[in-house]
Amino acid sequence: ESIPYGHRVGYLPYGIGWYRKNLAVTKKDLGRSVWIEFDGIYMNSDVWINGNHLGHQPNGYISLDYLLKPYLKEGNNIIAVRVDNSVQPNSRWYTGSGIYRHVRLVVTDPLHIPYSGIYITTPEAGTEKAEVFVRTKVENSSGSSKNGSILSVILDRNGKEVAKIETPFTIEPGKVKEIPQTIEVIKPALWSVESPGLYSLKSVVKEKGKIVDDTQTCFGIRSIEYDAVKGFLLNGKQVKMNGVNLH
C-alpha cells in the first residue's frame, strides 16, 4: 500500500496516535511534588492524567512539562498522550511522529528546584579569575512556610571542588523564589574551540541542614562578543565562523 507524501514522512505511518501508561503511586508519593517532562512530541500533543487534561502543545520541537500532583491518587493512575500529525505536509523535512525524545517522571520533596529552574552566566571570564552568576529558582509546594538554604558548588572537569557559596531563604507556601548568587573562580580553565572543557554546578537545597533536593548543570566559563570590525570574539580572540546553508 502506498503512503501519501512518501519521502516527506519517511514512508512511515502518520496521523493521530495515542500513548497510555499505568503509573503506580504510593501514599508517600502523594505528599511529594510529581511532574512529567517530555523532551519532544511531534506534534499537536495533548496530555491527560486520570482523565484530567493537563495541556495542549502544537509545537513539536520544544520540551514541555506538566505537574501531576493535584490529580494523582493512591494506587493505579493512567497517563494518556494524544498526538496529531495528520495535516501533511507540515515541514520541509522528515520530522517523525509521536514521542521521539526522552520522557522523565520527576518526584521531589515539596521544597525543590523546579523544571528549568537554574540559569548560569559568566559576566566576567578572564585567565586570572571569573565571575559565575547563578540564578536558582526554589519552589515550596507545601502548605506552610519553609526556611532553608541553597548551596551551589562548582566542580571542574575532574570533579574537584573549586568554589562554593550557600545562601539562606524563606519561601511562603505555594510560592517560587529566585535566589541570585555570584561565585568567584580563580584561574579558570576557559572554554574555547581548542579546549572545550566544562565545569559542573552542583545545586543543593537544604531544609534544617538536611538535603531535600539536588541537581547538576554543566556550563562553560567564557566570554563572547560581536564587534562591527573584528567580528566574533571568544575570550577576546577573533574566531572565524565558517559554514554553509545545507539541509
Side-chain angles (χ1 to χ4, degrees):
E1 181 181 350
S2 64
I3 295 180
Y5 305 110
H7 69 281
R8 281 186 172 273
V9 295
Y11 300 99
L12 294 171
Y14 60 91
I16 297 175
W18 284 87
Y19 299 82
R20 286 183 177 85
K21 186 173 182 62
N22 293 323
L23 179 65
V25 174
T26 66
K27 186 175 182 179
K28 183 179 179 181
D29 293 329
L30 294 178
R32 296 174 173 176
S33 185
V34 183
W35 69 88
I36 191 168
E37 300 174 353
F38 296 90
D39 282 350
I41 308 175
Y42 200 89
M43 59 181 291
N44 291 312
S45 65
D46 288 273
V47 181
W48 291 264
I49 178 74
N50 296 329
N52 297 284
H53 187 242
L54 299 177
H56 173 76
Q57 176 56 259
N59 191 306
Y61 297 113
I62 64 174
S63 61
L64 54 153
D65 70 296
Y66 295 111
L67 186 64
L68 304 182
K69 180 182 176 181
Y71 310 105
L72 291 178
K73 61 182 180 180
E74 187 177 357
N76 187 52
N77 295 256
I78 299 177
I79 298 175
V81 180
R82 182 184 186 271
V83 186
D84 185 354
N85 193 23
S86 58
V87 178
Q88 294 289 339
N90 60 37
S91 184
R92 293 175 55 206
W93 49 79
Y94 169 59
T95 62
S97 292
I99 301 174
Y100 65 97
R101 289 179 178 160
H102 294 301
V103 181
R104 290 174 296 277
L105 183 71
V106 182
V107 181
T108 70
D109 187 89
L111 189 64
H112 60 274
I113 299 171
Y115 181 62
S116 297
I118 298 172
Y119 188 68
I120 305 169
T121 56
T122 54
E124 180 183 340
T127 55
E128 292 301 312
K129 70 174 183 177
E131 184 181 282
V132 179
F133 184 57
V134 182
R135 302 206 309 258
T136 306
K137 290 181 180 178
V138 180
E139 181 174 5
N140 176 15
S141 62
S142 74
S144 60
S145 180
K146 294 285 186 179
N147 295 313
S149 64
I150 179 74
L151 171 64
S152 295
V153 182
I154 295 179
L155 308 171
D156 66 15
R157 62 192 306 173
N158 298 314
K160 180 183 176 182
E161 181 182 309
V162 297
K164 66 180 179 181
I165 188 173
E166 187 165 0
T167 305
F169 61 74
T170 299
I171 305 179
E172 297 301 312
K175 299 295 184 179
V176 177
K177 177 173 284 188
E178 185 175 81
I179 300 156
Q181 295 173 310
T182 299
I183 312 171
E184 186 176 87
V185 178
I186 303 300
K187 294 189 180 299
L190 300 182
W191 187 97
S192 67
V193 176
E194 297 77 23
S195 181
L198 294 175
Y199 286 84
S200 291
L201 176 73
K202 183 176 182 180
S203 304
V204 180
V205 179
K206 296 181 181 181
E207 182 185 9
K208 298 179 181 178
K210 177 186 175 183
I211 296 175
V212 294
D213 193 20
D214 69 275
T215 187
Q216 286 199 192
T217 309
C218 289
F219 70 99
I221 296 178
R222 81 291 180 270
S223 66
I224 60 174
E225 180 184 355
Y226 286 93
D227 184 89
V229 177
K230 297 179 181 179
F232 175 65
L233 302 176
L234 176 65
N235 300 323
K237 298 179 180 179
Q238 187 183 62
V239 175
K240 294 290 185 182
M241 303 181 75
N242 301 311
V244 294
N245 182 20
L246 177 63
H247 291 284

